[in-house]
PDB file of all heavy atoms in Angstrom:
ATOM      1  N   ILE T 796       0.833  -1.201   0.000  1.00 98.00           N
ATOM      2  CA  ILE T 796       0.000   0.000   0.000  1.00 98.00           C
ATOM      3  C   ILE T 796       0.871   1.255   0.000  1.00 98.00           C
ATOM      4  O   ILE T 796       0.591   2.228  -0.719  1.00 98.00           O
ATOM      5  CB  ILE T 796      -0.943  -0.016   1.220  1.00 98.00           C
ATOM      6  CG1 ILE T 796      -1.951  -1.164   1.078  1.00 98.00           C
ATOM      7  CG2 ILE T 796      -1.673   1.307   1.368  1.00 98.00           C
ATOM      8  CD1 ILE T 796      -2.752  -1.456   2.336  1.00 98.00           C
ATOM      9  N   GLU T 797       1.957   1.243   0.783  1.00 98.00           N
ATOM     10  CA  GLU T 797       2.841   2.415   0.856  1.00 98.00           C
ATOM     11  C   GLU T 797       3.524   2.679  -0.482  1.00 98.00           C
ATOM     12  O   GLU T 797       3.633   3.834  -0.920  1.00 98.00           O
ATOM     13  CB  GLU T 797       3.889   2.199   1.945  1.00 98.00           C
ATOM     14  CG  GLU T 797       3.336   2.278   3.363  1.00 98.00           C
ATOM     15  CD  GLU T 797       4.370   1.906   4.411  1.00 98.00           C
ATOM     16  OE1 GLU T 797       5.560   1.714   4.028  1.00 98.00           O
ATOM     17  OE2 GLU T 797       4.014   1.793   5.590  1.00 98.00           O
ATOM     18  N   ILE T 798       3.999   1.623  -1.136  1.00 98.00           N
ATOM     19  CA  ILE T 798       4.667   1.812  -2.428  1.00 98.00           C
ATOM     20  C   ILE T 798       3.674   2.322  -3.467  1.00 98.00           C
ATOM     21  O   ILE T 798       3.975   3.229  -4.248  1.00 98.00           O
ATOM     22  CB  ILE T 798       5.321   0.500  -2.893  1.00 98.00           C
ATOM     23  CG1 ILE T 798       6.428   0.076  -1.927  1.00 98.00           C
ATOM     24  CG2 ILE T 798       5.899   0.656  -4.301  1.00 98.00           C
ATOM     25  CD1 ILE T 798       6.948  -1.324  -2.164  1.00 98.00           C
ATOM     26  N   ALA T 799       2.476   1.756  -3.485  1.00 97.00           N
ATOM     27  CA  ALA T 799       1.449   2.204  -4.429  1.00 97.00           C
ATOM     28  C   ALA T 799       1.132   3.679  -4.216  1.00 97.00           C
ATOM     29  O   ALA T 799       1.014   4.455  -5.177  1.00 97.00           O
ATOM     30  CB  ALA T 799       0.192   1.356  -4.274  1.00 97.00           C
ATOM     31  N   ASP T 800       1.011   4.076  -2.945  1.00 97.00           N
ATOM     32  CA  ASP T 800       0.733   5.474  -2.636  1.00 97.00           C
ATOM     33  C   ASP T 800       1.893   6.375  -3.061  1.00 97.00           C
ATOM     34  O   ASP T 800       1.688   7.467  -3.593  1.00 97.00           O
ATOM     35  CB  ASP T 800       0.462   5.618  -1.135  1.00 97.00           C
ATOM     36  CG  ASP T 800       0.064   7.032  -0.760  1.00 97.00           C
ATOM     37  OD1 ASP T 800      -0.979   7.509  -1.245  1.00 97.00           O
ATOM     38  OD2 ASP T 800       0.821   7.679   0.006  1.00 97.00           O
ATOM     39  N   LYS T 801       3.106   5.904  -2.842  1.00 97.00           N
ATOM     40  CA  LYS T 801       4.293   6.699  -3.178  1.00 97.00           C
ATOM     41  C   LYS T 801       4.387   6.978  -4.669  1.00 97.00           C
ATOM     42  O   LYS T 801       4.765   8.080  -5.085  1.00 97.00           O
ATOM     43  CB  LYS T 801       5.547   5.972  -2.697  1.00 97.00           C
ATOM     44  CG  LYS T 801       6.839   6.727  -2.965  1.00 97.00           C
ATOM     45  CD  LYS T 801       8.028   5.997  -2.358  1.00 97.00           C
ATOM     46  CE  LYS T 801       9.329   6.774  -2.580  1.00 97.00           C
ATOM     47  NZ  LYS T 801      10.491   6.084  -1.951  1.00 97.00           N
ATOM     48  N   ILE T 802       4.045   6.003  -5.491  1.00 96.00           N
ATOM     49  CA  ILE T 802       4.168   6.197  -6.936  1.00 96.00           C
ATOM     50  C   ILE T 802       2.857   6.651  -7.572  1.00 96.00           C
ATOM     51  O   ILE T 802       2.777   6.810  -8.796  1.00 96.00           O
ATOM     52  CB  ILE T 802       4.673   4.910  -7.624  1.00 96.00           C
ATOM     53  CG1 ILE T 802       3.652   3.780  -7.489  1.00 96.00           C
ATOM     54  CG2 ILE T 802       6.029   4.494  -7.060  1.00 96.00           C
ATOM     55  CD1 ILE T 802       4.052   2.522  -8.247  1.00 96.00           C
ATOM     56  N   GLY T 803       1.829   6.854  -6.740  1.00 94.00           N
ATOM     57  CA  GLY T 803       0.567   7.379  -7.245  1.00 94.00           C
ATOM     58  C   GLY T 803      -0.264   6.377  -8.015  1.00 94.00           C
ATOM     59  O   GLY T 803      -0.929   6.722  -9.003  1.00 94.00           O
ATOM     60  N   VAL T 804      -0.284   5.125  -7.560  1.00 93.00           N
ATOM     61  CA  VAL T 804      -1.028   4.069  -8.224  1.00 93.00           C
ATOM     62  C   VAL T 804      -2.143   3.578  -7.305  1.00 93.00           C
ATOM     63  O   VAL T 804      -1.905   3.335  -6.117  1.00 93.00           O
ATOM     64  CB  VAL T 804      -0.085   2.892  -8.584  1.00 93.00           C
ATOM     65  CG1 VAL T 804      -0.873   1.638  -8.920  1.00 93.00           C
ATOM     66  CG2 VAL T 804       0.808   3.274  -9.753  1.00 93.00           C
ATOM     67  N   GLY T 805      -3.355   3.452  -7.828  1.00 92.00           N
ATOM     68  CA  GLY T 805      -4.453   2.917  -7.039  1.00 92.00           C
ATOM     69  C   GLY T 805      -4.276   1.431  -6.803  1.00 92.00           C
ATOM     70  O   GLY T 805      -3.652   0.734  -7.607  1.00 92.00           O
ATOM     71  N   LEU T 806      -4.829   0.942  -5.718  1.00 93.00           N
ATOM     72  CA  LEU T 806      -4.661  -0.478  -5.400  1.00 93.00           C
ATOM     73  C   LEU T 806      -5.246  -1.381  -6.473  1.00 93.00           C
ATOM     74  O   LEU T 806      -4.802  -2.517  -6.648  1.00 93.00           O
ATOM     75  CB  LEU T 806      -5.285  -0.786  -4.037  1.00 93.00           C
ATOM     76  CG  LEU T 806      -4.543  -0.218  -2.822  1.00 93.00           C
ATOM     77  CD1 LEU T 806      -5.278  -0.580  -1.541  1.00 93.00           C
ATOM     78  CD2 LEU T 806      -3.107  -0.731  -2.773  1.00 93.00           C
ATOM     79  N   ASN T 807      -6.264  -0.903  -7.198  1.00 89.00           N
ATOM     80  CA  ASN T 807      -6.831  -1.727  -8.274  1.00 89.00           C
ATOM     81  C   ASN T 807      -5.860  -1.872  -9.442  1.00 89.00           C
ATOM     82  O   ASN T 807      -6.082  -2.674 -10.347  1.00 89.00           O
ATOM     83  CB  ASN T 807      -8.156  -1.145  -8.756  1.00 89.00           C
ATOM     84  CG  ASN T 807      -7.989   0.195  -9.434  1.00 89.00           C
ATOM     85  OD1 ASN T 807      -7.103   0.982  -9.080  1.00 89.00           O
ATOM     86  ND2 ASN T 807      -8.849   0.490 -10.382  1.00 89.00           N
ATOM     87  N   GLN T 808      -4.765  -1.116  -9.409  1.00 91.00           N
ATOM     88  CA  GLN T 808      -3.746  -1.197 -10.451  1.00 91.00           C
ATOM     89  C   GLN T 808      -2.487  -1.904  -9.940  1.00 91.00           C
ATOM     90  O   GLN T 808      -1.399  -1.692 -10.453  1.00 91.00           O
ATOM     91  CB  GLN T 808      -3.381   0.195 -10.952  1.00 91.00           C
ATOM     92  CG  GLN T 808      -4.524   0.916 -11.669  1.00 91.00           C
ATOM     93  CD  GLN T 808      -4.142   2.331 -12.029  1.00 91.00           C
ATOM     94  OE1 GLN T 808      -4.281   3.277 -11.256  1.00 91.00           O
ATOM     95  NE2 GLN T 808      -3.620   2.491 -13.230  1.00 91.00           N
ATOM     96  N   THR T 809      -2.638  -2.742  -8.937  1.00 95.00           N
ATOM     97  CA  THR T 809      -1.497  -3.456  -8.382  1.00 95.00           C
ATOM     98  C   THR T 809      -1.680  -4.961  -8.529  1.00 95.00           C
ATOM     99  O   THR T 809      -2.801  -5.468  -8.555  1.00 95.00           O
ATOM    100  CB  THR T 809      -1.293  -3.126  -6.893  1.00 95.00           C
ATOM    101  OG1 THR T 809      -2.424  -3.592  -6.136  1.00 95.00           O
ATOM    102  CG2 THR T 809      -1.142  -1.625  -6.677  1.00 95.00           C
ATOM    103  N   VAL T 810      -0.558  -5.651  -8.620  1.00 95.00           N
ATOM    104  CA  VAL T 810      -0.520  -7.112  -8.680  1.00 95.00           C
ATOM    105  C   VAL T 810       0.426  -7.586  -7.587  1.00 95.00           C
ATOM    106  O   VAL T 810       1.511  -7.031  -7.419  1.00 95.00           O
ATOM    107  CB  VAL T 810      -0.006  -7.606 -10.045  1.00 95.00           C
ATOM    108  CG1 VAL T 810       0.082  -9.137 -10.069  1.00 95.00           C
ATOM    109  CG2 VAL T 810      -0.893  -7.110 -11.180  1.00 95.00           C
ATOM    110  N   ALA T 811       0.020  -8.593  -6.843  1.00 97.00           N
ATOM    111  CA  ALA T 811       0.885  -9.208  -5.835  1.00 97.00           C
ATOM    112  C   ALA T 811       1.016 -10.688  -6.151  1.00 97.00           C
ATOM    113  O   ALA T 811       0.044 -11.337  -6.541  1.00 97.00           O
ATOM    114  CB  ALA T 811       0.326  -9.011  -4.436  1.00 97.00           C
ATOM    115  N   VAL T 812       2.233 -11.218  -5.954  1.00 97.00           N
ATOM    116  CA  VAL T 812       2.519 -12.613  -6.257  1.00 97.00           C
ATOM    117  C   VAL T 812       3.211 -13.240  -5.053  1.00 97.00           C
ATOM    118  O   VAL T 812       4.226 -12.708  -4.572  1.00 97.00           O
ATOM    119  CB  VAL T 812       3.425 -12.755  -7.500  1.00 97.00           C
ATOM    120  CG1 VAL T 812       3.601 -14.222  -7.864  1.00 97.00           C
ATOM    121  CG2 VAL T 812       2.874 -11.958  -8.672  1.00 97.00           C
ATOM    122  N   GLY T 813       2.684 -14.351  -4.548  1.00 96.00           N
ATOM    123  CA  GLY T 813       3.295 -15.013  -3.400  1.00 96.00           C
ATOM    124  C   GLY T 813       2.842 -16.443  -3.284  1.00 96.00           C
ATOM    125  O   GLY T 813       1.946 -16.894  -4.017  1.00 96.00           O
ATOM    126  N   ASP T 814       3.460 -17.162  -2.328  1.00 94.00           N
ATOM    127  CA  ASP T 814       3.172 -18.591  -2.230  1.00 94.00           C
ATOM    128  C   ASP T 814       2.742 -19.058  -0.844  1.00 94.00           C
ATOM    129  O   ASP T 814       2.224 -20.162  -0.696  1.00 94.00           O
ATOM    130  CB  ASP T 814       4.408 -19.398  -2.637  1.00 94.00           C
ATOM    131  CG  ASP T 814       5.493 -19.349  -1.564  1.00 94.00           C
ATOM    132  OD1 ASP T 814       5.938 -18.234  -1.209  1.00 94.00           O
ATOM    133  OD2 ASP T 814       5.889 -20.419  -1.069  1.00 94.00           O
ATOM    134  N   GLY T 815       2.983 -18.244   0.206  1.00 90.00           N
ATOM    135  CA  GLY T 815       2.754 -18.738   1.558  1.00 90.00           C
ATOM    136  C   GLY T 815       1.713 -17.954   2.329  1.00 90.00           C
ATOM    137  O   GLY T 815       1.238 -16.898   1.902  1.00 90.00           O
ATOM    138  N   ALA T 816       1.376 -18.480   3.517  1.00 90.00           N
ATOM    139  CA  ALA T 816       0.395 -17.810   4.366  1.00 90.00           C
ATOM    140  C   ALA T 816       0.843 -16.412   4.735  1.00 90.00           C
ATOM    141  O   ALA T 816       0.013 -15.515   4.951  1.00 90.00           O
ATOM    142  CB  ALA T 816       0.158 -18.640   5.629  1.00 90.00           C
ATOM    143  N   ASN T 817       2.147 -16.185   4.778  1.00 91.00           N
ATOM    144  CA  ASN T 817       2.679 -14.871   5.084  1.00 91.00           C
ATOM    145  C   ASN T 817       2.347 -13.841   4.004  1.00 91.00           C
ATOM    146  O   ASN T 817       2.482 -12.639   4.217  1.00 91.00           O
ATOM    147  CB  ASN T 817       4.199 -14.970   5.257  1.00 91.00           C
ATOM    148  CG  ASN T 817       4.780 -13.804   6.012  1.00 91.00           C
ATOM    149  OD1 ASN T 817       4.169 -13.289   6.932  1.00 91.00           O
ATOM    150  ND2 ASN T 817       5.964 -13.374   5.619  1.00 91.00           N
ATOM    151  N   ASP T 818       1.892 -14.315   2.840  1.00 95.00           N
ATOM    152  CA  ASP T 818       1.564 -13.418   1.726  1.00 95.00           C
ATOM    153  C   ASP T 818       0.070 -13.120   1.620  1.00 95.00           C
ATOM    154  O   ASP T 818      -0.338 -12.337   0.768  1.00 95.00           O
ATOM    155  CB  ASP T 818       2.033 -14.036   0.403  1.00 95.00           C
ATOM    156  CG  ASP T 818       3.528 -14.275   0.373  1.00 95.00           C
ATOM    157  OD1 ASP T 818       4.274 -13.350   0.695  1.00 95.00           O
ATOM    158  OD2 ASP T 818       3.940 -15.406   0.021  1.00 95.00           O
ATOM    159  N   LEU T 819      -0.742 -13.742   2.454  1.00 95.00           N
ATOM    160  CA  LEU T 819      -2.189 -13.644   2.281  1.00 95.00           C
ATOM    161  C   LEU T 819      -2.707 -12.216   2.342  1.00 95.00           C
ATOM    162  O   LEU T 819      -3.539 -11.817   1.517  1.00 95.00           O
ATOM    163  CB  LEU T 819      -2.902 -14.514   3.327  1.00 95.00           C
ATOM    164  CG  LEU T 819      -2.911 -16.016   3.035  1.00 95.00           C
ATOM    165  CD1 LEU T 819      -3.419 -16.795   4.246  1.00 95.00           C
ATOM    166  CD2 LEU T 819      -3.768 -16.320   1.807  1.00 95.00           C
ATOM    167  N   ASP T 820      -2.255 -11.425   3.308  1.00 96.00           N
ATOM    168  CA  ASP T 820      -2.746 -10.050   3.424  1.00 96.00           C
ATOM    169  C   ASP T 820      -2.322  -9.218   2.213  1.00 96.00           C
ATOM    170  O   ASP T 820      -3.086  -8.382   1.717  1.00 96.00           O
ATOM    171  CB  ASP T 820      -2.235  -9.402   4.711  1.00 96.00           C
ATOM    172  CG  ASP T 820      -2.871  -9.995   5.953  1.00 96.00           C
ATOM    173  OD1 ASP T 820      -3.714 -10.901   5.818  1.00 96.00           O
ATOM    174  OD2 ASP T 820      -2.510  -9.560   7.072  1.00 96.00           O
ATOM    175  N   MET T 821      -1.113  -9.438   1.735  1.00 97.00           N
ATOM    176  CA  MET T 821      -0.625  -8.718   0.560  1.00 97.00           C
ATOM    177  C   MET T 821      -1.442  -9.080  -0.674  1.00 97.00           C
ATOM    178  O   MET T 821      -1.829  -8.211  -1.464  1.00 97.00           O
ATOM    179  CB  MET T 821       0.852  -9.051   0.339  1.00 97.00           C
ATOM    180  CG  MET T 821       1.468  -8.429  -0.904  1.00 97.00           C
ATOM    181  SD  MET T 821       3.238  -8.808  -1.062  1.00 97.00           S
ATOM    182  CE  MET T 821       3.152 -10.530  -1.625  1.00 97.00           C
ATOM    183  N   LEU T 822      -1.735 -10.366  -0.841  1.00 97.00           N
ATOM    184  CA  LEU T 822      -2.536 -10.798  -1.981  1.00 97.00           C
ATOM    185  C   LEU T 822      -3.944 -10.218  -1.913  1.00 97.00           C
ATOM    186  O   LEU T 822      -4.533  -9.870  -2.939  1.00 97.00           O
ATOM    187  CB  LEU T 822      -2.602 -12.329  -2.027  1.00 97.00           C
ATOM    188  CG  LEU T 822      -1.280 -13.077  -2.221  1.00 97.00           C
ATOM    189  CD1 LEU T 822      -1.516 -14.579  -2.198  1.00 97.00           C
ATOM    190  CD2 LEU T 822      -0.593 -12.665  -3.512  1.00 97.00           C
ATOM    191  N   ALA T 823      -4.486 -10.123  -0.705  1.00 97.00           N
ATOM    192  CA  ALA T 823      -5.830  -9.566  -0.541  1.00 97.00           C
ATOM    193  C   ALA T 823      -5.858  -8.067  -0.806  1.00 97.00           C
ATOM    194  O   ALA T 823      -6.848  -7.534  -1.325  1.00 97.00           O
ATOM    195  CB  ALA T 823      -6.337  -9.865   0.865  1.00 97.00           C
ATOM    196  N   ALA T 824      -4.777  -7.371  -0.461  1.00 97.00           N
ATOM    197  CA  ALA T 824      -4.729  -5.919  -0.626  1.00 97.00           C
ATOM    198  C   ALA T 824      -4.585  -5.507  -2.085  1.00 97.00           C
ATOM    199  O   ALA T 824      -5.044  -4.437  -2.493  1.00 97.00           O
ATOM    200  CB  ALA T 824      -3.580  -5.338   0.194  1.00 97.00           C
ATOM    201  N   ALA T 825      -3.952  -6.346  -2.888  1.00 96.00           N
ATOM    202  CA  ALA T 825      -3.679  -5.996  -4.284  1.00 96.00           C
ATOM    203  C   ALA T 825      -4.938  -6.091  -5.136  1.00 96.00           C
ATOM    204  O   ALA T 825      -5.882  -6.812  -4.820  1.00 96.00           O
ATOM    205  CB  ALA T 825      -2.600  -6.921  -4.844  1.00 96.00           C
TER     206      ALA T 825
END
């Protein structure tokens, strides 16, 4: 969220890629 805000990109314009439970919140936010 911080990086998207810094570069002026809406969250609907983000992609997150991960494999573990530690990535779940990031995948949900993207």
Side-chain angles (χ1 to χ4, degrees):
I796 294 168
E797 288 174 7
I798 296 169
D800 184 62
K801 181 175 182 178
I802 65 175
V804 164
L806 289 179
N807 66 328
Q808 295 175 273
T809 64
V810 178
V812 185
D814 73 302
N817 199 36
D818 300 310
L819 283 170
D820 290 0
M821 177 178 76
L822 297 178

